[in-house]
């Protein structure tokens, strides 16, 4: 048996599991040396660190305290794992050493930074020991024992380790209490029946201290090494740390910041919170998943299936620490090795996203503060008057009577049913907002949603068994308990009643963290370990109940302490089910709070942003992160929600927003209008043109969503997903791709008429003209006047586009225009998914068309792999081929000559094809 040479000084110290099966258990039990010992560079770092501490002590005259023990000085700064992570505590040497940890003061970090921990684990800090390990049909089961208590209450002495080799690229490791059941996330995950036969990973265990050592076979890269710090598993404090193979880490939402996370002592908290997106704050959703790029371009992902309050501490070692205050440690590791494959493998566990209706991919318009249905209607008419594309009109809470769900302001919004009827007549849709807080102050018998919810016992309760009363828009409210299946029925009935008056098409579920305008409830929160746990992660407000309900609130499935991060997911699930039953069509839902698997039920918008240039930039990392999280239907409020936009900002933002997968312009009350009709003719025309460009690309975008639904492909895609070996792409978050083919380079700064962007190696074609750019992998300066958004098509791609209309319904009847971008070898490939755009399960039931396009040896072929009646209703009108290096003498369509045009920039165009999409054909140029 091969031993883990670099990580142990005594043999045998580790159990190694090879792909052929588990090796025999080792006969001896050695101690594992600190993982960082043995590296020459780190030895130097240790010496420098020691010298630095000594010098500082001399200079400071001893203010740094007594000299620490040698074992503490051996640990380099970057490898110090925090032993005292509590917030708002000045960590003293006495406090630190009471936990058995090392204390070394270091210079204070810059404001807002955490810096090197003063209190950290020594190399010999007690941890669990792996007492036994036995084979199972799918992997192994082990027993972990801790012989010395850790420093948090209700430490768990014996843990059960379950390992399942689920697939060749997926490993499942779960650690829980060996003696007592614990809360686990009620998420449907796949159950495998057979152990993986040829995994691309090698798993090792350290016995004492217990540790997981995971390597990629092909490269030997160590993906996980949890021996870097002790495992702690108390009832309300679970902590495990690991080394990382590189600093290129993404995911761990929801946060505002760059797409690539900083590992400079950066702590990311996951606890759903209503707050305008701000750097360093925990935001609306919780996604305990990260993607990491390894040296050489491989990638892996790690998912912790845990819904409790959590923080993830990143440090420059590079290293990572998971801290959560409940549940179990339930890890899935995805080995890729390609970043696209990692995200597909993640979604094989959490579920693939729903296929949206086609109209969901059109342009949406909303604001808080229309004031009336007539004013809303005026905006719709103005958009039509200027022939600006729009598929959906929305209303915020001002349509309600007193901000109460399922009501209509009979004075200001009396014409809303007529407006919705008019929208439908013009092929447009209507979407309205709903909140989960149900007004509790109406006289008994006057407000059915509360009366009936109370009668059926469907609200969150206090520890005393009474409805927990908080405060949201309508005043005092109770909160629907969506963990109760009976609540789903009540939610459906409420929606049915409202739909009978206002036949809405989609729903916007907001405030579902859940948000509360008071901390906890009208009576505060009771004392106890749920509302005041032994450890609280670093969160905005320093309390679990800050701007939400009490963690001790009772729900049907568990206590809110466990379910808080699931609230938005559970509401989305109930809402999707209700919409399907009411409309018998694909549901359209946009939710603010999200959790893994949410893409199966809803999309997401990035919350209450501001009309500022930096907010426009931050939207790109936001939508790329949600691509990783399996929620491809995502976008930000175009032009910004709060504050007042400018014409230049809104024009640039409309250009970027036209390429959000979910494109909605939304505005707050008491600010000037920012829909396209509110601006000058120049700006309005620029906005209209970019929306027409989006609508022309709907066949391509819709096909991308089909691949997301079918196999978990991303729609908005980071550049490094397509160019993983090009390290220059790993930090890029000011550009993105649609699928593998279309590069979007927006202007994100004021007062400029050009933009710089990275163009990966290869041939790229200007989307509008077909002119080519041959890049060696370089930053290029591109012309970008106010009316222009830079779009480039990647060589080897075929994009299905369509003559745009002002709605998706109008567009889908227009002729298709296929754009071919030839590779340097004169080849190209593309595809098109086509169905009726709204029926349920069209792919699953075979009610769709799927067409593959291919070019080789100057012959374009269209091959119909699956056909339905809808394909007979649309024709292919035009074929444009970019990169035809030699002027053709003739073009043959199915063997018959066809007129064509050829331009000096090597673009060949054949028009008036008039071929039904349901018919295969070939076109050759000679």
């Amino acid at each position: 048996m091969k031993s883990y040479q670099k990580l142990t000084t005594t043999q045998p110290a580790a159990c190694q599991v090879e792909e052929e099966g588990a090796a025999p258990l080792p006969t001896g039990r050695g101690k594992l040396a600190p993982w960082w010992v043995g590296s020459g560079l780190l030895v130097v770092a240790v010496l420098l660190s020691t010298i630095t501490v000594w010098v500082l002590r001399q200079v400071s005259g001893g203010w740094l305290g007594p000299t620490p023990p040698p074992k503490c000085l051996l640990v380099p700064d970057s490898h110090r794992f925090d032993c005292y992570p509590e917030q708002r505590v000045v960590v003293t040497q006495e406090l630190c050493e009471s936990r058995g940890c090392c204390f070394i003061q270091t210079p204070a970090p810059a404001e807002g930074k955490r810096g090197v921990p003063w209190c950290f684990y020594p190399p010999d800090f007690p941890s669990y020991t792996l007492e036994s390990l036995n084979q199972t049909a799918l992997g192994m089961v082990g027993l972990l024992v801790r012989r010395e208590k850790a420093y948090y209450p209700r430490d768990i002495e014996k843990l059960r380790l379950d390992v399942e080799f689920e697939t060749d690229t997926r490993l499942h490791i779960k650690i829980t209490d060996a003696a007592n059941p614990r809360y686990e996330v009620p998420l449907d995950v796949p159950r495998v029946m057979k152990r993986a036969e040829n995994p691309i990973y090698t798993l090792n265990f350290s016995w004492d201290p217990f540790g997981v050592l995971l390597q990629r076979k092909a490269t030997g890269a160590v993906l996980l090494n949890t021996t870097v710090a002790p495992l702690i598993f108390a009832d309300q404090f679970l902590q495990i740390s690991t080394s990382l193979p590189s600093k290129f880490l993404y995911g761990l939402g929801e946060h505002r910041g760059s797409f690539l996370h900083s590992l400079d002592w950066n702590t990311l908290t996951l606890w759903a919170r209503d707050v305008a997106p701000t750097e360093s704050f925990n935001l609306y959703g919780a996604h305990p998943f990260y993607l990491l790029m390894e040296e050489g371009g491989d990638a892996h992902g790690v998912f912790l299936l845990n819904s409790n309050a959590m923080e993830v501490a990143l440090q420059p070692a590079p290293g990572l620490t998971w801290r959560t205050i409940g549940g179990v440690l339930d890890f899935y590791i995805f080995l890729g090795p390609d970043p696209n494959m990692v995200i597909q493998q993640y979604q094989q566990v959490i579920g693939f996203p729903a296929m949206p209706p086609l109209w969901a991919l059109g342009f949406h318009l909303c604001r808080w503060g229309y004031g009336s249905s007539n004013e809303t209607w005026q905006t719709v008419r103005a958009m039509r008057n200027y022939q600006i594309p729009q598929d959906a009109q929305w209303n915020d809470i001002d349509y309600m009577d007193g901000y109460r769900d399922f009501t209509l302001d009979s004075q200001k919004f009396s014409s809303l049913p007529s407006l919705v009827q008019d929208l439908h007549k013009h092929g447009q849709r209507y979407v309205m907002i709903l909140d989960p807080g149900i007004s509790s102050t109406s006289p008994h018998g006057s407000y059915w949603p509360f009366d009936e919810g109370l009668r059926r016992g469907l609200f969150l309760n206090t520890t005393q068994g009474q409805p927990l009363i908080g405060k949201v828009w309508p005043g005092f409210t109770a909160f629907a308990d969506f963990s109760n299946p009976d609540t789903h029925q009540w939610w459906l009935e409420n929606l049915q009643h409202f739909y009978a008056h206002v036949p809405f098409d989609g729903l916007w579920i907001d405030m579902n963290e859940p948000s509360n305008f008071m901390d906890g409830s009208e009576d505060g929160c009771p004392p106890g370990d749920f509302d005041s746990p032994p450890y609280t992660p670093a969160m905005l407000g320093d309390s679990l109940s800050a701007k939400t309900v009490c963690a001790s609130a009772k729900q049907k499935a568990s206590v809110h302490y466990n379910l808080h991060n699931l609230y938005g997911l559970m509401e989305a699930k109930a809402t999707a089910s209700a919409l399907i039953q009411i409309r018998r069509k694909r549901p359209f839902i946009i939710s603010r709070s999200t959790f893994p698997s949410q893409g199966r039920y809803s999309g997401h918008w990035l919350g209450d942003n501001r009309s500022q240039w930096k907010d426009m930039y931050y939207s790109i990392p936001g939508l790329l992160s949600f691509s990783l999280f399996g929620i491809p239907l995502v976008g930000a409020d175009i032009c910004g929600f709060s504050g007042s936009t400018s014409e230049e900002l809104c024009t640039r933002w409309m250009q970027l927003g036209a390429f959000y997968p979910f494109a909605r312009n939304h505005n707050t009350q008491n600010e000037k209008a920012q829909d396209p009709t509110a601006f000058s003719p120049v700006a309005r025309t620029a906005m209209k043109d970019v929306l027409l460009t989006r609508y022309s690309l709907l066949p391509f975008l819709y096909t991308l969503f089909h691949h997301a639904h079918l196999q978990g492909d991303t729609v908005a895609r980071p550049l490094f997903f397509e160019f993983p070996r090009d390290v220059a792409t790993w930090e890029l978050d000011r550009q993105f791709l649609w699928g593998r083919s279309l590069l979007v380079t927006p202007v994100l700064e004021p007062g400029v008429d050009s933009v710089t962007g990275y163009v990966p190696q290869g041939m790229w074609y200007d989307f509008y003209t077909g002119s080519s750019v041959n890049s060696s992998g370089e930053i290029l300066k591109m012309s970008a006047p106010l009316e222009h958004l830079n779009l480039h098509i990647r060589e080897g791609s075929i994009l299905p586009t369509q003559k745009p209309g002002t709605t998706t319904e109008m567009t889908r009847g227009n002729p298709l225009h296929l754009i071919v971008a030839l590779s340097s070898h004169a080849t190209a490939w593309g595809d098109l998914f086509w169905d009726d755009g709204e029926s349920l399960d069209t792919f699953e039931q075979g009610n769709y068309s799927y067409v593959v396009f291919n070019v080789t040896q100057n012959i374009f072929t269209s091959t119909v792999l699956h056909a339905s009646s809808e394909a007979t209703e649309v024709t292919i009108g035009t074929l444009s081929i970019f990169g035809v290096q030699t002027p053709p003498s003739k073009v043959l369509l199915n063997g018959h000559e066809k007129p064509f045009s050829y331009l000096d920039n090597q673009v060949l165009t054949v028009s008036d094809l008039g071929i039904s999409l349901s018919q295969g054909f070939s076109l050759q140029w000679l």
Side-chain angles (χ1 to χ4, degrees):
M1 182 182 71
K2 181 182 175 185
S3 61
Y4 204 83
Q5 299 283 348
K6 293 183 180 178
L7 293 167
T8 181
T9 54
T10 57
Q11 300 297 330
C15 169
Q16 185 177 49
V17 183
E18 298 287 0
E19 70 277 16
E20 292 83 5
L25 299 184
T27 54
R29 296 199 179 163
K31 290 278 186 179
L32 197 73
W35 71 284
W36 35 265
V37 172
S39 164
L41 286 174
L42 286 171
V43 169
V44 172
V46 170
L47 291 172
L48 288 173
S49 176
T50 306
I51 293 168
T52 301
V53 171
W54 182 85
V55 169
L56 284 172
R57 288 178 190 287
Q58 305 311 308
V59 171
S60 67
W63 69 269
L64 290 175
T67 303
K71 67 179 181 181
C72 297
L73 292 172
L74 276 173
V75 184
D77 285 5
S78 63
H79 295 67
R80 294 177 180 174
F81 285 82
D82 199 344
C83 177
Y84 217 109
E86 279 80 354
Q87 299 294 296
R88 316 293 182 209
V89 175
V90 177
V91 182
T92 63
Q93 183 168 354
E94 182 180 9
L95 284 173
C96 178
E97 291 179 351
S98 71
R99 293 186 170 183
C101 291
C102 296
F103 184 81
I104 298 179
Q105 284 179 267
T106 55
E111 188 175 353
K113 295 275 188 181
R114 293 179 70 89
V116 181
W118 290 5
C119 183
F120 57 95
Y121 296 106
D124 58 354
F125 191 93
S127 185
Y128 286 87
T129 300
L130 180 57
E131 288 288 315
S132 65
L133 192 64
N134 297 302
Q135 296 291 318
T136 65
L138 298 177
M140 355 174 178
V141 61
L143 177 67
L144 309 180
V145 177
R146 175 180 275 281
R147 291 190 165 75
E148 293 185 42
K149 284 282 187 186
Y151 44 82
Y152 284 105
R154 298 184 300 282
D155 207 17
I156 296 172
E157 179 188 358
K158 294 182 179 180
L159 302 176
R160 176 186 169 108
L161 167 71
D162 285 287
V163 177
E164 293 186 355
F165 303 98
E166 294 197 338
T167 73
D168 290 344
T169 55
R170 185 172 86 223
L171 176 65
H172 187 188
I173 299 175
K174 183 175 173 182
I175 302 172
T176 187
D177 189 335
N180 301 294
R182 292 179 60 82
Y183 164 77
E184 297 187 28
V185 182
L187 188 70
D188 292 331
V189 293
R191 298 295 178 197
V192 297
M193 307 304 293
K194 182 182 176 185
R195 180 184 180 134
E197 294 180 355
N198 297 294
I200 65 171
Y201 49 85
T202 302
L203 181 65
N204 297 267
F205 292 106
S206 162
W207 287 79
D208 186 9
F210 165 73
V212 175
L213 303 149
L214 180 67
Q215 278 184 289
R216 183 181 298 283
K217 268 189 200 172
T219 63
V222 178
L223 310 184
L224 295 177
N225 176 1
T226 68
T227 66
V228 296
L231 167 65
I232 297 178
F233 201 121
D235 183 37
Q236 290 181 274
F237 185 88
L238 292 70
Q239 176 177 279
I240 190 167
S241 303
T242 182
S243 62
L244 299 171
S246 88
K247 65 177 184 178
F248 294 96
L249 183 142
Y250 315 82
L252 298 173
E254 180 176 7
H255 297 94
R256 163 178 283 206
S258 58
F259 184 45
L260 174 67
H261 285 301
S262 167
L263 269 59
D264 186 17
W265 305 106
N266 181 20
T267 297
L268 303 167
T269 301
L270 282 64
W271 182 248
R273 164 72 194 228
D274 171 9
V275 63
T278 305
E279 298 88 320
S280 81
F281 288 175
N282 50 298
L283 301 182
Y284 310 108
H287 292 272
F289 167 82
Y290 70 78
L291 172 78
L292 189 137
M293 290 299 292
E294 305 159 30
E295 185 177 342
D298 289 336
H300 71 274
V302 176
F303 172 42
L304 173 55
L305 180 50
N306 181 293
S307 61
N308 289 89
M310 180 189 308
E311 65 188 11
V312 185
L314 308 174
Q315 62 190 78
L320 175 150
T321 298
W322 299 92
R323 295 188 197 103
T324 182
I325 61 172
V328 301
L329 296 176
D330 192 1
F331 289 102
Y332 289 86
I333 303 98
F334 311 99
L335 276 290
D338 170 89
N340 291 286
M341 296 170 70
V342 171
I343 302 307
Q344 290 174 347
Q345 291 156 13
Y346 175 41
Q347 291 174 89
Q348 287 167 7
V349 170
I350 64 171
F352 296 126
M355 184 68 186
L358 178 62
W359 66 265
L361 307 184
F363 179 60
H364 301 247
L365 191 55
C366 185
R367 77 164 300 169
W368 180 18
Y370 280 121
S372 69
S373 49
N374 286 340
E375 189 179 334
T376 310
W377 209 337
Q378 286 171 13
T379 302
V380 173
R381 288 176 177 138
M383 291 286 285
R384 290 179 194 155
N385 182 52
Y386 288 113
Q387 295 184 300
I388 300 172
Q390 182 190 1
D391 257 81
Q393 180 61 51
W394 296 38
N395 276 126
D396 208 317
I397 57 175
D398 36 6
Y399 79 88
M400 301 176 184
D401 180 10
Y403 299 144
R404 295 178 304 164
D405 277 356
F406 313 113
T407 66
L408 189 63
D409 185 326
S410 60
Q411 300 295 313
K412 296 177 181 175
F413 280 82
S414 59
S415 63
L416 185 59
S418 299
L419 166 58
V420 174
Q421 184 180 23
D422 179 67
L423 288 168
H424 291 165
K425 188 174 76 173
H426 287 83
Q428 296 172 299
R429 302 321 200 268
Y430 180 71
V431 179
M432 65 186 197
I433 196 170
L434 278 178
D435 294 338
I438 303 298
S439 174
S440 61
T441 56
S442 298
H444 181 71
S446 66
Y447 185 48
W448 191 87
F450 178 74
D451 292 342
E452 191 64 15
L454 187 65
R455 187 182 73 80
R456 300 187 199 179
L458 304 179
F459 298 123
L460 271 66
N461 284 335
T462 66
T463 54
Q464 303 303 308
Q466 298 301 311
L468 183 147
I469 302 300
K471 196 172 189 180
V472 201
W473 296 114
F476 290 110
T477 57
F479 296 87
D481 177 11
F482 292 103
S483 78
N484 185 344
D486 294 340
T487 305
H488 293 214
Q489 178 62 30
W490 164 85
W491 193 245
L492 167 65
E493 291 169 22
N494 279 293
L495 287 167
Q496 286 172 326
H497 296 157
F498 194 80
Y499 186 84
H501 300 286
V502 181
F504 52 85
D505 300 283
L507 290 170
W508 169 23
I509 51 176
D510 191 15
M511 308 291 286
N512 54 354
E513 292 73 30
S515 176
N516 184 1
F517 294 167
M518 46 180 58
D519 291 351
S521 76
E522 61 178 343
D523 300 317
C525 296
D529 284 339
F530 287 133
D531 293 300
S532 302
Y535 180 81
T536 301
M539 62 182 59
L540 179 63
D542 300 323
S543 164
L544 297 182
S545 62
K547 210 173 179 185
T548 190
V549 299
C550 298
S552 58
K554 294 180 178 180
Q555 295 189 237
K556 178 77 172 180
S558 186
V559 67
H560 190 74
Y561 181 89
N562 293 327
L563 300 179
H564 174 83
N565 281 339
L566 298 173
Y567 195 90
L569 169 64
M570 290 178 167
E571 185 190 14
K573 194 172 181 179
T575 306
S577 173
L579 275 176
I580 289 170
Q581 292 181 71
I582 291 169
R583 299 184 70 248
R584 302 296 174 184
K585 296 175 182 177
R586 282 177 228 163
F588 171 75
I589 300 159
I590 294 295
S591 174
R592 191 166 73 178
S593 189
T594 58
F595 190 80
S597 80
Q598 187 110 7
R600 296 170 59 189
Y601 311 105
S602 84
H604 172 65
W605 97 104
L606 296 172
D608 295 341
N609 60 4
R610 303 166 187 85
S611 297
Q612 297 177 4
W613 289 90
K614 73 169 187 174
D615 286 63
M616 179 166 61
Y617 152 67
Y618 277 129
S619 72
I620 301 177
L623 69 94
L624 294 179
S625 292
F626 275 86
S627 290
L628 305 188
F629 301 149
I631 306 176
L633 189 64
V634 61
D637 284 346
I638 297 170
C639 300
F641 172 71
S642 65
S644 188
T645 192
S646 68
E647 182 161 293
E648 181 190 12
L649 172 60
C650 198
T651 303
R652 293 301 195 189
W653 209 329
M654 282 289 293
Q655 289 169 345
L656 169 59
F659 286 84
Y660 293 156
F662 164 60
R664 181 186 71 161
N665 180 316
H666 180 43
N667 193 8
T668 190
Q669 61 181 352
N670 303 321
E671 294 288 352
K672 62 184 181 183
Q674 62 184 38
D675 63 87
T677 70
F679 296 99
S680 72
V682 171
R684 185 173 65 238
T685 301
M687 296 177 186
K688 175 181 175 179
D689 287 349
V690 78
L691 287 176
L692 288 170
T693 299
R694 177 190 179 89
Y695 274 61
S696 75
L697 283 159
L698 284 174
F700 174 57
L701 180 61
Y702 193 63
T703 301
L704 293 178
F705 269 95
H706 166 67
H707 290 302
H709 170 63
L710 194 61
Q711 61 192 32
D713 285 358
T714 52
V715 176
R717 190 171 300 177
L719 272 70
F720 73 79
F721 271 46
E722 292 299 318
F723 303 93
R725 312 268 175 228
D726 182 354
V727 294
T729 65
W730 292 10
E731 296 188 46
L732 298 180
D733 59 7
R734 301 173 74 86
Q735 299 166 274
F736 57 96
L737 293 160
W738 265 13
R740 64 176 299 275
S741 307
L742 189 64
L743 176 62
V744 183
T745 307
V747 171
L748 302 172
E749 297 170 344
V752 299
D753 59 6
S754 64
V755 63
T756 56
Y758 185 77
V759 180
Q761 184 174 10
M763 189 77 75
W764 295 82
Y765 297 90
D766 184 288
F767 171 79
Y768 310 97
T769 68
S771 297
S772 62
V773 176
N774 194 3
S775 175
S776 60
E778 54 198 303
I779 295 174
L780 298 179
K781 185 177 182 180
M782 310 171 198
S783 175
L786 186 62
E787 69 277 6
H788 184 69
L789 171 69
N790 278 277
L791 299 173
H792 289 88
I793 307 176
R794 184 182 180 182
E795 65 170 304
S797 305
I798 300 176
L799 268 57
T801 71
Q802 200 163 22
K803 181 183 176 182
T806 54
T807 64
T808 54
E809 194 169 289
M810 289 179 61
T811 300
R812 66 177 280 113
N814 291 339
L816 291 165
H817 176 191
L818 306 179
I819 301 176
V820 178
L822 292 179
S823 72
S824 56
H825 303 293
T827 60
W829 186 92
D831 63 344
L832 173 62
F833 177 82
W834 194 270
D835 62 9
D836 69 6
E838 62 179 6
S839 293
L840 294 164
D841 303 323
T842 55
F843 177 79
E844 291 77 4
Q845 295 177 8
N847 299 323
Y848 68 95
S849 296
Y850 182 66
V851 186
V852 168
F853 310 115
N854 193 62
V855 173
T856 184
Q857 297 180 334
N858 290 5
I859 300 174
F860 174 98
T861 57
S862 172
T863 306
V864 180
L865 296 184
H866 194 279
S868 66
S869 59
E870 280 79 17
T872 63
E873 299 168 9
V874 65
T875 59
I876 298 174
T878 306
L879 185 63
S880 294
I881 305 169
F882 298 169
V884 178
Q885 297 186 6
T886 305
S889 59
K890 67 169 69 172
V891 169
L892 302 177
L893 175 63
N894 292 333
H896 301 287
E897 273 202 56
K898 192 75 179 168
F900 66 92
S901 68
Y902 181 81
L903 302 178
D904 291 343
N905 64 348
Q906 302 182 337
V907 174
L908 169 64
T909 301
V910 187
S911 303
D912 302 319
L913 294 173
I915 301 171
S916 170
L917 181 61
S918 62
Q919 294 179 303
F921 71 94
S922 67
L923 185 140
Q924 183 178 16
W925 59 98
L926 303 169

